[in-house]
Amino acid sequence: MGLLKRRAAGASNAATGPRLAIIAGGGRLPVRLAEAEPGAFLVSFEGTPCELPEARLTRFRFEKLGGLFDRLRAEGVERIVMAGGMARPQLDMKQVDRKVMMLAPKLMAALGSKGDDGVLRLIVSILEDEGFTVEGAHQILPEMTARPGKIGGPALSRAARGDVEQAQKILSTLAPLDIGQGCVVAAGQCLGIETVQGTDALLRFVGETPEERRPGKGVLVKAPKAGQDLRVDMPAVGPQTLRAAAAAGLEAVVIAADRVLLIDGPALPDLAAELGLAFHAVEI
């Protein structure tokens, strides 16, 4: 049985090392990170939904990156993790500071013509050029990923294993186009691909597919795109994903071992069993 990873004994957090800043978006992941690193400096951009307490958050405009970098240094921050859902920034050129003005040509080019991977790679390079170390949530919370094997629920059927292989081929083919991190396949037929709308929208779409057009129950496969920087854009699966997959009539959810974040991981094995949903991690 594939087990959720355990934090190694004595693993260090910000209390024993350089201070961490959490640049937070929506969802539970920033909350988990803040719990694991209580001394972290918490940052979120204005207008970004965030579940962290507003009293602890420092809000910045994306157009004021220079001020953000100065504040991070003043707070003794050396490490940065970006976590949670964030919309693409919309630059208001009337608000930009000197730092963003210098970066504007690269930022505008990335926002105008590149996919999410390209934008995120640019942001990482900017942070690293400013002297910060960018880390992934999985490096701080290694227990949030899974080793290969069954996580919960029943074993994969023979049909499901074939669908997993087909979904891997589809995702591998689409990876250079920077489209998405998920795919649903039933009896070898693609029922849907995750796009910018996200996994929940994909599963709703699949669930609305008429029975006569569905050759089987189907499998959701979640995996990062080839070359994706997992420090800033690792796929995630949580209770909502499992419930939505079951509601869509799927028989299994399969994730890339070690490369997909498990939100509320300890609850997922029992939930998968309750839903009758095969939940497995495989090498992809």
Side-chain angles (χ1 to χ4, degrees):
M1 179 177 181
L3 300 177
L4 307 186
K5 292 182 178 178
R6 303 285 189 239
R7 182 182 293 279
S12 62
N13 282 331
T16 57
R19 192 178 187 193
L20 176 75
I22 301 171
I23 299 180
R28 293 291 300 167
L29 182 55
V31 177
R32 287 289 312 277
L33 289 165
E35 292 170 349
E37 299 250 357
F41 181 58
L42 308 182
V43 178
S44 190
F45 290 109
E46 289 186 11
T48 299
C50 183
E51 294 185 21
L52 291 170
E54 283 293 332
R56 291 194 57 199
L57 273 177
T58 298
R59 293 276 190 176
F60 276 90
R61 293 187 63 91
F62 192 82
E63 293 90 347
K64 306 293 185 184
L65 287 180
L68 171 59
F69 297 152
D70 290 342
R71 180 65 183 276
L72 291 173
R73 294 188 184 96
E75 294 288 339
V77 169
E78 297 182 29
R79 304 153 54 220
I80 292 177
V81 60
M82 298 172 62
M86 303 180 199
R88 279 184 167 222
Q90 300 294 320
L91 284 180
D92 181 352
M93 296 306 295
K94 296 179 181 179
Q95 299 282 340
V96 298
D97 62 14
R98 183 178 180 183
K99 172 61 69 174
V100 175
M101 186 63 72
M102 294 171 60
L103 295 169
K106 290 182 179 180
L107 286 170
M108 297 303 289
L111 292 170
S113 62
K114 295 184 180 180
D116 288 345
D117 281 355
V119 174
L120 289 169
R121 279 195 293 269
L122 176 60
I123 292 173
V124 169
S125 70
I126 291 170
L127 291 170
E128 291 177 335
D129 287 346
E130 291 293 323
F132 301 106
T133 299
V134 179
E135 299 182 4
H138 62 293
Q139 294 172 287
I140 298 165
L141 295 170
E143 67 270 26
M144 288 189 71
T145 58
R147 299 185 180 95
K150 184 173 79 170
I151 301 171
L156 285 173
S157 68
R158 182 174 182 179
R161 290 196 296 271
D163 287 340
V164 171
E165 292 181 6
Q166 178 69 354
Q168 290 184 54
K169 293 177 184 177
I170 292 170
L171 291 173
S172 177
T173 300
L174 293 175
L177 301 178
D178 191 16
I179 290 177
Q181 304 168 330
C183 180
V184 174
V185 172
Q189 180 176 326
C190 180
L191 298 185
I193 298 164
E194 179 185 340
T195 55
V196 68
Q197 290 84 0
T199 306
D200 289 347
L202 163 64
L203 293 173
R204 284 195 301 271
F205 174 77
V206 170
E208 293 168 358
T209 304
E211 286 293 328
E212 62 270 19
R213 298 186 67 86
R214 293 182 64 162
K217 287 188 174 181
V219 173
L220 167 67
V221 174
K222 286 278 290 184
K225 292 166 280 190
Q228 187 171 331
D229 192 332
L230 299 183
R231 294 175 298 171
V232 291
D233 192 23
M234 182 180 278
V237 166
Q240 182 174 332
T241 309
L242 297 192
R243 292 191 182 99
L250 304 188
E251 67 172 290
V253 172
V254 176
I255 63 173
D258 303 314
R259 298 195 298 150
V260 173
L261 289 171
L262 300 175
I263 308 300
D264 293 332
L268 298 182
D270 288 344
L271 178 59
E274 176 187 328
L275 295 170
L277 191 70
F279 185 32
H280 290 240
V282 301
E283 295 284 0
I284 295 179

